[in-house]
Amino acid sequence: MDQAQYTTLSDALQAIADPRQARGKRYPWHFLLMLIALAVASGEQTVHAIADWVGLHADEWRTPLNWHAKSFPSESTVRRILRLMPPT
């Protein structure tokens, strides 16, 4: 990633390609990455803690993330997404 190319975290996360297969995608890749980034920025360090944070703060972040669906990702979804992230 070219540092000058991105002005926001959202811009940087949108540039990360979605490695998932088309089948079974329930949540947009950018949305999942943003939730994980917010949880980690809040100090969460484990998959369980990240998923718990997502559940606790879902209503708070619904409007800022422009998410109008009822559901938010489960712990198993967070775990699958983190497994897909390439090591840096």
Side-chain angles (χ1 to χ4, degrees), residues 23-43:
R23 185 180 65 89
K25 288 184 184 178
R26 184 171 184 178
Y27 302 101
W29 182 246
H30 170 259
F31 174 72
L32 294 167
L33 295 181
M34 183 59 79
L35 286 174
I36 292 168
L38 290 167
V40 170
S42 295

